[in-house]
mmCIF file of all heavy atoms in Angstrom:
data_model
loop_
_atom_site.group_PDB
_atom_site.id
_atom_site.type_symbol
_atom_site.label_atom_id
_atom_site.label_comp_id
_atom_site.label_asym_id
_atom_site.label_seq_id
_atom_site.Cartn_x
_atom_site.Cartn_y
_atom_site.Cartn_z
ATOM 1 N N ALA A 1 95.618 90.444 68.029
ATOM 2 C CA ALA A 1 97.055 90.733 68.042
ATOM 3 C C ALA A 1 97.779 89.576 67.320
ATOM 4 O O ALA A 1 98.726 89.871 66.486
ATOM 5 C CB ALA A 1 97.620 90.983 69.412
ATOM 6 N N PHE A 2 97.470 88.380 67.668
ATOM 7 C CA PHE A 2 98.084 87.228 66.942
ATOM 8 C C PHE A 2 97.792 87.323 65.465
ATOM 9 O O PHE A 2 98.738 87.054 64.654
ATOM 10 C CB PHE A 2 97.553 85.917 67.622
ATOM 11 C CG PHE A 2 98.012 84.728 66.792
ATOM 12 C CD1 PHE A 2 99.253 84.222 66.928
ATOM 13 C CD2 PHE A 2 97.126 83.988 65.906
ATOM 14 C CE1 PHE A 2 99.652 83.209 66.305
ATOM 15 C CE2 PHE A 2 97.578 83.000 65.159
ATOM 16 C CZ PHE A 2 98.915 82.501 65.397
ATOM 17 N N GLN A 3 96.581 87.538 65.082
ATOM 18 C CA GLN A 3 96.380 87.539 63.615
ATOM 19 C C GLN A 3 97.006 88.719 62.974
ATOM 20 O O GLN A 3 97.474 88.623 61.822
ATOM 21 C CB GLN A 3 94.844 87.557 63.354
ATOM 22 C CG GLN A 3 94.111 86.335 63.636
ATOM 23 C CD GLN A 3 94.542 85.149 62.684
ATOM 24 O OE1 GLN A 3 95.159 85.320 61.711
ATOM 25 N NE2 GLN A 3 94.039 84.014 63.031
ATOM 26 N N TYR A 4 97.073 89.893 63.587
ATOM 27 C CA TYR A 4 97.885 91.002 63.032
ATOM 28 C C TYR A 4 99.350 90.590 62.895
ATOM 29 O O TYR A 4 100.111 90.982 62.074
ATOM 30 C CB TYR A 4 97.774 92.287 63.804
ATOM 31 C CG TYR A 4 96.538 93.131 63.357
ATOM 32 C CD1 TYR A 4 95.530 93.551 64.253
ATOM 33 C CD2 TYR A 4 96.514 93.407 62.010
ATOM 34 C CE1 TYR A 4 94.463 94.347 63.697
ATOM 35 C CE2 TYR A 4 95.485 94.313 61.464
ATOM 36 C CZ TYR A 4 94.443 94.656 62.336
ATOM 37 O OH TYR A 4 93.420 95.400 61.927
ATOM 38 N N TRP A 5 99.902 89.788 63.953
ATOM 39 C CA TRP A 5 101.231 89.292 63.796
ATOM 40 C C TRP A 5 101.479 88.431 62.629
ATOM 41 O O TRP A 5 102.406 88.546 61.832
ATOM 42 C CB TRP A 5 101.708 88.549 65.019
ATOM 43 C CG TRP A 5 102.984 87.842 64.817
ATOM 44 C CD1 TRP A 5 104.174 88.341 64.855
ATOM 45 C CD2 TRP A 5 103.156 86.437 64.471
ATOM 46 N NE1 TRP A 5 105.199 87.477 64.496
ATOM 47 C CE2 TRP A 5 104.605 86.226 64.374
ATOM 48 C CE3 TRP A 5 102.245 85.325 64.315
ATOM 49 C CZ2 TRP A 5 105.019 84.983 63.952
ATOM 50 C CZ3 TRP A 5 102.827 84.071 63.931
ATOM 51 C CH2 TRP A 5 104.229 83.930 63.843
ATOM 52 N N VAL A 6 100.446 87.601 62.271
ATOM 53 C CA VAL A 6 100.593 86.643 61.161
ATOM 54 C C VAL A 6 100.651 87.615 59.915
ATOM 55 O O VAL A 6 101.490 87.319 58.965
ATOM 56 C CB VAL A 6 99.273 85.707 61.035
ATOM 57 C CG1 VAL A 6 99.232 85.061 59.689
ATOM 58 C CG2 VAL A 6 99.352 84.713 62.227
ATOM 59 N N LEU A 7 99.740 88.573 59.757
ATOM 60 C CA LEU A 7 99.684 89.412 58.590
ATOM 61 C C LEU A 7 101.078 90.221 58.401
ATOM 62 O O LEU A 7 101.476 90.388 57.470
ATOM 63 C CB LEU A 7 98.518 90.369 58.742
ATOM 64 C CG LEU A 7 97.169 89.732 58.552
ATOM 65 C CD1 LEU A 7 96.056 90.784 58.885
ATOM 66 C CD2 LEU A 7 96.879 89.337 57.096
ATOM 67 N N MET A 8 101.585 90.754 59.656
ATOM 68 C CA MET A 8 102.865 91.408 59.623
ATOM 69 C C MET A 8 103.981 90.589 59.129
ATOM 70 O O MET A 8 104.809 90.884 58.442
ATOM 71 C CB MET A 8 103.102 92.048 61.039
ATOM 72 C CG MET A 8 104.416 92.805 61.195
ATOM 73 S SD MET A 8 104.695 93.366 62.738
ATOM 74 C CE MET A 8 105.083 91.717 63.555
ATOM 75 N N ASP A 9 103.954 89.415 59.726
ATOM 76 C CA ASP A 9 105.086 88.435 59.462
ATOM 77 C C ASP A 9 105.148 88.012 57.958
ATOM 78 O O ASP A 9 106.198 88.065 57.327
ATOM 79 C CB ASP A 9 104.982 87.163 60.219
ATOM 80 C CG ASP A 9 106.084 86.190 60.100
ATOM 81 O OD1 ASP A 9 107.244 86.599 60.311
ATOM 82 O OD2 ASP A 9 105.798 85.044 59.735
ATOM 83 N N LEU A 10 103.955 87.753 57.364
ATOM 84 C CA LEU A 10 103.788 87.185 56.017
ATOM 85 C C LEU A 10 103.699 88.346 54.938
ATOM 86 O O LEU A 10 104.314 88.223 53.930
ATOM 87 C CB LEU A 10 102.776 86.212 55.869
ATOM 88 C CG LEU A 10 103.231 84.760 56.382
ATOM 89 C CD1 LEU A 10 103.035 84.645 57.803
ATOM 90 C CD2 LEU A 10 102.349 83.698 55.679
ATOM 91 N N PHE A 11 102.839 89.381 55.226
ATOM 92 C CA PHE A 11 102.439 90.295 54.241
ATOM 93 C C PHE A 11 103.047 91.641 54.454
ATOM 94 O O PHE A 11 102.937 92.481 53.605
ATOM 95 C CB PHE A 11 100.928 90.383 54.105
ATOM 96 C CG PHE A 11 100.237 89.056 53.739
ATOM 97 C CD1 PHE A 11 99.764 88.260 54.665
ATOM 98 C CD2 PHE A 11 100.160 88.731 52.393
ATOM 99 C CE1 PHE A 11 99.181 87.076 54.319
ATOM 100 C CE2 PHE A 11 99.580 87.571 51.958
ATOM 101 C CZ PHE A 11 99.055 86.636 52.970
ATOM 102 N N GLY A 12 103.469 91.893 55.763
ATOM 103 C CA GLY A 12 104.265 93.144 55.960
ATOM 104 C C GLY A 12 103.285 94.345 56.370
ATOM 105 O O GLY A 12 103.438 94.818 57.412
ATOM 106 N N ASN A 13 102.518 94.783 55.347
ATOM 107 C CA ASN A 13 101.914 96.055 55.402
ATOM 108 C C ASN A 13 100.383 96.017 55.110
ATOM 109 O O ASN A 13 99.919 96.459 54.161
ATOM 110 C CB ASN A 13 102.517 97.054 54.476
ATOM 111 C CG ASN A 13 104.019 96.923 54.584
ATOM 112 O OD1 ASN A 13 104.629 97.389 55.582
ATOM 113 N ND2 ASN A 13 104.708 96.512 53.575
ATOM 114 N N PRO A 14 99.618 95.354 55.985
ATOM 115 C CA PRO A 14 98.178 95.016 55.663
ATOM 116 C C PRO A 14 97.291 96.322 55.991
ATOM 117 O O PRO A 14 97.819 97.190 56.620
ATOM 118 C CB PRO A 14 97.792 93.856 56.655
ATOM 119 C CG PRO A 14 98.697 94.138 57.760
ATOM 120 C CD PRO A 14 99.950 94.644 57.284
ATOM 121 N N PRO A 15 96.039 96.281 55.673
ATOM 122 C CA PRO A 15 95.156 97.342 56.153
ATOM 123 C C PRO A 15 94.883 97.112 57.645
ATOM 124 O O PRO A 15 95.172 95.961 58.174
ATOM 125 C CB PRO A 15 93.810 96.981 55.302
ATOM 126 C CG PRO A 15 93.928 95.529 54.950
ATOM 127 C CD PRO A 15 95.373 95.329 54.731
ATOM 128 N N PHE A 16 94.513 98.183 58.286
ATOM 129 C CA PHE A 16 94.392 98.062 59.738
ATOM 130 C C PHE A 16 93.123 98.772 60.297
ATOM 131 O O PHE A 16 92.787 99.825 59.814
ATOM 132 C CB PHE A 16 95.641 98.835 60.332
ATOM 133 C CG PHE A 16 95.689 98.962 61.831
ATOM 134 C CD1 PHE A 16 96.084 97.725 62.604
ATOM 135 C CD2 PHE A 16 95.294 99.989 62.566
ATOM 136 C CE1 PHE A 16 96.029 97.760 63.986
ATOM 137 C CE2 PHE A 16 95.311 100.054 63.944
ATOM 138 C CZ PHE A 16 95.714 98.925 64.597
ATOM 139 N N VAL A 17 92.373 98.101 61.003
ATOM 140 C CA VAL A 17 91.202 98.512 61.659
ATOM 141 C C VAL A 17 91.037 97.829 63.059
ATOM 142 O O VAL A 17 91.319 96.641 63.210
ATOM 143 C CB VAL A 17 90.037 98.341 60.696
ATOM 144 C CG1 VAL A 17 89.766 96.860 60.527
ATOM 145 C CG2 VAL A 17 88.780 99.004 61.293
ATOM 146 N N THR A 18 90.479 98.525 64.027
ATOM 147 C CA THR A 18 90.159 97.946 65.318
ATOM 148 C C THR A 18 88.755 98.191 65.668
ATOM 149 O O THR A 18 88.033 98.788 64.957
ATOM 150 C CB THR A 18 91.069 98.520 66.408
ATOM 151 O OG1 THR A 18 90.764 99.919 66.623
ATOM 152 C CG2 THR A 18 92.563 98.481 65.965
ATOM 153 N N ASP A 19 88.354 97.851 66.857
ATOM 154 C CA ASP A 19 86.975 98.083 67.370
ATOM 155 C C ASP A 19 86.643 99.612 67.499
ATOM 156 O O ASP A 19 85.524 100.023 67.634
ATOM 157 C CB ASP A 19 86.765 97.455 68.712
ATOM 158 C CG ASP A 19 87.800 97.916 69.740
ATOM 159 O OD1 ASP A 19 88.929 97.588 69.535
ATOM 160 O OD2 ASP A 19 87.445 98.563 70.709
ATOM 161 N N ALA A 20 87.782 100.423 67.457
ATOM 162 C CA ALA A 20 87.575 101.785 67.603
ATOM 163 C C ALA A 20 87.082 102.466 66.406
ATOM 164 O O ALA A 20 86.541 103.605 66.319
ATOM 165 C CB ALA A 20 88.853 102.555 68.056
ATOM 166 N N ASN A 21 87.214 101.732 65.216
ATOM 167 C CA ASN A 21 86.699 102.282 63.923
ATOM 168 C C ASN A 21 85.278 102.092 63.797
ATOM 169 O O ASN A 21 84.746 100.947 63.993
ATOM 170 C CB ASN A 21 87.436 101.552 62.748
ATOM 171 C CG ASN A 21 88.952 101.913 62.733
ATOM 172 O OD1 ASN A 21 89.665 101.213 63.352
ATOM 173 N ND2 ASN A 21 89.404 103.004 62.007
ATOM 174 N N ALA A 22 84.493 103.088 63.372
ATOM 175 C CA ALA A 22 83.051 102.919 63.061
ATOM 176 C C ALA A 22 82.841 101.968 61.921
ATOM 177 O O ALA A 22 83.589 101.994 61.020
ATOM 178 C CB ALA A 22 82.444 104.275 62.757
ATOM 179 N N VAL A 23 81.795 101.059 62.108
ATOM 180 C CA VAL A 23 81.653 100.053 61.149
ATOM 181 C C VAL A 23 81.298 100.688 59.816
ATOM 182 O O VAL A 23 80.360 101.351 59.705
ATOM 183 C CB VAL A 23 80.536 99.096 61.571
ATOM 184 C CG1 VAL A 23 80.231 98.046 60.528
ATOM 185 C CG2 VAL A 23 80.985 98.373 62.895
ATOM 186 N N GLY A 24 81.963 100.208 58.759
ATOM 187 C CA GLY A 24 81.718 100.628 57.462
ATOM 188 C C GLY A 24 81.915 102.175 57.121
ATOM 189 O O GLY A 24 81.405 102.655 56.108
ATOM 190 N N SER A 25 82.588 102.894 58.025
ATOM 191 C CA SER A 25 82.780 104.370 57.856
ATOM 192 C C SER A 25 83.693 104.728 56.758
ATOM 193 O O SER A 25 83.482 105.764 56.186
ATOM 194 C CB SER A 25 83.331 104.920 59.117
ATOM 195 O OG SER A 25 84.609 104.303 59.464
ATOM 196 N N ALA A 26 84.717 103.908 56.466
ATOM 197 C CA ALA A 26 85.686 104.355 55.447
ATOM 198 C C ALA A 26 86.546 103.148 55.053
ATOM 199 O O ALA A 26 86.505 102.074 55.736
ATOM 200 C CB ALA A 26 86.618 105.449 55.930
ATOM 201 N N LEU A 27 87.186 103.211 53.986
ATOM 202 C CA LEU A 27 88.091 102.171 53.551
ATOM 203 C C LEU A 27 89.258 102.076 54.582
ATOM 204 O O LEU A 27 89.761 103.094 55.064
ATOM 205 C CB LEU A 27 88.757 102.423 52.130
ATOM 206 C CG LEU A 27 87.730 102.406 51.021
ATOM 207 C CD1 LEU A 27 88.460 102.985 49.722
ATOM 208 C CD2 LEU A 27 87.256 101.043 50.717
ATOM 209 N N PRO A 28 89.590 100.959 55.051
ATOM 210 C CA PRO A 28 90.666 100.681 56.046
ATOM 211 C C PRO A 28 92.038 101.261 55.443
ATOM 212 O O PRO A 28 92.340 101.066 54.369
ATOM 213 C CB PRO A 28 90.739 99.254 56.188
ATOM 214 C CG PRO A 28 89.507 98.705 55.753
ATOM 215 C CD PRO A 28 89.002 99.555 54.599
ATOM 216 N N PRO A 29 92.664 102.063 56.269
ATOM 217 C CA PRO A 29 93.973 102.559 55.910
ATOM 218 C C PRO A 29 94.983 101.448 56.004
ATOM 219 O O PRO A 29 94.837 100.466 56.684
ATOM 220 C CB PRO A 29 94.264 103.676 56.944
ATOM 221 C CG PRO A 29 93.529 103.155 58.134
ATOM 222 C CD PRO A 29 92.286 102.523 57.637
ATOM 223 N N GLN A 30 96.076 101.676 55.231
ATOM 224 C CA GLN A 30 97.222 100.724 55.241
ATOM 225 C C GLN A 30 98.162 101.068 56.365
ATOM 226 O O GLN A 30 98.384 102.268 56.511
ATOM 227 C CB GLN A 30 97.897 100.676 53.858
ATOM 228 C CG GLN A 30 99.036 99.547 53.799
ATOM 229 C CD GLN A 30 99.438 99.455 52.395
ATOM 230 O OE1 GLN A 30 99.439 100.375 51.533
ATOM 231 N NE2 GLN A 30 100.022 98.225 52.042
ATOM 232 N N THR A 31 98.607 100.068 57.064
ATOM 233 C CA THR A 31 99.660 100.263 58.114
ATOM 234 C C THR A 31 101.031 99.921 57.549
ATOM 235 O O THR A 31 101.063 99.313 56.478
ATOM 236 C CB THR A 31 99.372 99.627 59.437
ATOM 237 O OG1 THR A 31 100.271 100.003 60.383
ATOM 238 C CG2 THR A 31 99.408 98.107 59.180
ATOM 239 N N ASP A 32 102.080 100.217 58.234
ATOM 240 C CA ASP A 32 103.392 99.697 57.801
ATOM 241 C C ASP A 32 103.932 98.751 58.934
ATOM 242 O O ASP A 32 103.348 98.697 59.974
ATOM 243 C CB ASP A 32 104.352 100.828 57.681
ATOM 244 C CG ASP A 32 104.669 101.608 58.868
ATOM 245 O OD1 ASP A 32 105.504 101.167 59.746
ATOM 246 O OD2 ASP A 32 104.002 102.647 59.057
ATOM 247 N N ARG A 33 104.890 97.979 58.552
ATOM 248 C CA ARG A 33 105.392 96.880 59.490
ATOM 249 C C ARG A 33 105.849 97.395 60.818
ATOM 250 O O ARG A 33 105.535 96.752 61.777
ATOM 251 C CB ARG A 33 106.532 96.189 58.724
ATOM 252 C CG ARG A 33 106.480 94.607 58.900
ATOM 253 C CD ARG A 33 107.538 93.945 58.163
ATOM 254 N NE ARG A 33 107.284 92.502 58.087
ATOM 255 C CZ ARG A 33 108.216 91.618 57.576
ATOM 256 N NH1 ARG A 33 109.365 92.105 57.085
ATOM 257 N NH2 ARG A 33 107.950 90.334 57.584
ATOM 258 N N LYS A 34 106.498 98.465 60.870
ATOM 259 C CA LYS A 34 107.070 98.935 62.109
ATOM 260 C C LYS A 34 105.957 99.526 62.985
ATOM 261 O O LYS A 34 105.889 99.212 64.223
ATOM 262 C CB LYS A 34 108.063 100.097 61.876
ATOM 263 C CG LYS A 34 108.775 100.521 63.247
ATOM 264 C CD LYS A 34 109.908 101.464 62.853
ATOM 265 C CE LYS A 34 110.694 101.849 64.158
ATOM 266 N NZ LYS A 34 111.820 102.736 63.966
ATOM 267 N N THR A 35 104.934 100.136 62.327
ATOM 268 C CA THR A 35 103.805 100.715 63.081
ATOM 269 C C THR A 35 103.011 99.567 63.590
ATOM 270 O O THR A 35 102.568 99.634 64.885
ATOM 271 C CB THR A 35 102.956 101.658 62.285
ATOM 272 O OG1 THR A 35 103.739 102.719 61.821
ATOM 273 C CG2 THR A 35 101.793 102.153 62.969
ATOM 274 N N LEU A 36 102.838 98.488 62.744
ATOM 275 C CA LEU A 36 102.091 97.396 63.295
ATOM 276 C C LEU A 36 102.747 96.632 64.466
ATOM 277 O O LEU A 36 102.110 96.097 65.338
ATOM 278 C CB LEU A 36 101.770 96.335 62.110
ATOM 279 C CG LEU A 36 100.717 95.257 62.354
ATOM 280 C CD1 LEU A 36 99.424 95.771 62.912
ATOM 281 C CD2 LEU A 36 100.530 94.458 61.005
ATOM 282 N N PHE A 37 104.088 96.529 64.304
ATOM 283 C CA PHE A 37 104.850 95.854 65.385
ATOM 284 C C PHE A 37 104.596 96.591 66.707
ATOM 285 O O PHE A 37 104.275 95.949 67.733
ATOM 286 C CB PHE A 37 106.329 95.976 65.069
ATOM 287 C CG PHE A 37 107.304 95.439 66.128
ATOM 288 C CD1 PHE A 37 107.714 94.167 66.129
ATOM 289 C CD2 PHE A 37 107.624 96.283 67.207
ATOM 290 C CE1 PHE A 37 108.564 93.653 67.057
ATOM 291 C CE2 PHE A 37 108.487 95.795 68.180
ATOM 292 C CZ PHE A 37 108.973 94.484 68.098
ATOM 293 N N ASN A 38 104.568 97.942 66.585
ATOM 294 C CA ASN A 38 104.474 98.746 67.854
ATOM 295 C C ASN A 38 103.086 98.495 68.417
ATOM 296 O O ASN A 38 102.751 98.511 69.686
ATOM 297 C CB ASN A 38 104.716 100.227 67.605
ATOM 298 C CG ASN A 38 106.215 100.471 67.298
ATOM 299 O OD1 ASN A 38 107.017 99.729 67.766
ATOM 300 N ND2 ASN A 38 106.465 101.567 66.611
ATOM 301 N N TYR A 39 102.081 98.483 67.517
ATOM 302 C CA TYR A 39 100.644 98.296 67.944
ATOM 303 C C TYR A 39 100.480 96.844 68.611
ATOM 304 O O TYR A 39 99.869 96.754 69.704
ATOM 305 C CB TYR A 39 99.653 98.264 66.810
ATOM 306 C CG TYR A 39 98.348 97.719 67.120
ATOM 307 C CD1 TYR A 39 97.401 98.514 67.861
ATOM 308 C CD2 TYR A 39 98.034 96.423 66.767
ATOM 309 C CE1 TYR A 39 96.193 98.046 68.228
ATOM 310 C CE2 TYR A 39 96.730 95.909 67.101
ATOM 311 C CZ TYR A 39 95.857 96.724 67.867
ATOM 312 O OH TYR A 39 94.661 96.201 68.250
ATOM 313 N N ILE A 40 101.131 95.853 67.964
ATOM 314 C CA ILE A 40 100.917 94.474 68.583
ATOM 315 C C ILE A 40 101.631 94.395 69.906
ATOM 316 O O ILE A 40 101.081 93.900 70.867
ATOM 317 C CB ILE A 40 101.592 93.394 67.633
ATOM 318 C CG1 ILE A 40 100.789 93.368 66.291
ATOM 319 C CG2 ILE A 40 101.612 92.032 68.264
ATOM 320 C CD1 ILE A 40 101.456 92.586 65.172
ATOM 321 N N GLU A 41 102.829 94.995 69.996
ATOM 322 C CA GLU A 41 103.560 94.997 71.273
ATOM 323 C C GLU A 41 102.711 95.808 72.416
ATOM 324 O O GLU A 41 102.560 95.256 73.489
ATOM 325 C CB GLU A 41 104.895 95.726 71.140
ATOM 326 C CG GLU A 41 105.740 95.948 72.359
ATOM 327 C CD GLU A 41 106.963 96.775 72.177
ATOM 328 O OE1 GLU A 41 106.866 97.626 71.258
ATOM 329 O OE2 GLU A 41 107.900 96.610 72.991
ATOM 330 N N SER A 42 102.238 96.895 72.057
ATOM 331 C CA SER A 42 101.516 97.692 72.985
ATOM 332 C C SER A 42 100.163 97.048 73.452
ATOM 333 O O SER A 42 99.774 97.057 74.617
ATOM 334 C CB SER A 42 101.159 99.128 72.477
ATOM 335 O OG SER A 42 100.382 99.123 71.389
ATOM 336 N N GLU A 43 99.452 96.420 72.467
ATOM 337 C CA GLU A 43 98.258 95.683 72.750
ATOM 338 C C GLU A 43 98.458 94.482 73.636
ATOM 339 O O GLU A 43 97.686 94.281 74.601
ATOM 340 C CB GLU A 43 97.597 95.319 71.469
ATOM 341 C CG GLU A 43 96.316 94.595 71.635
ATOM 342 C CD GLU A 43 95.141 95.643 71.912
ATOM 343 O OE1 GLU A 43 95.481 96.835 72.241
ATOM 344 O OE2 GLU A 43 93.909 95.155 71.918
#
C-alpha cells in the first residue's frame, strides 16, 4: 500500500496488480488516481 501511495503521489495512474492476479496471465491494467486512492484506503 505504501509503494502504491508513492506511485499515486508521483505518477498518478500506474499499472495495478495484486496477489489476486495470476502470475504472467495478462498485461497489468492501468488504474486511475481516485481508484488507487480508494484501494490504498481500503487495504
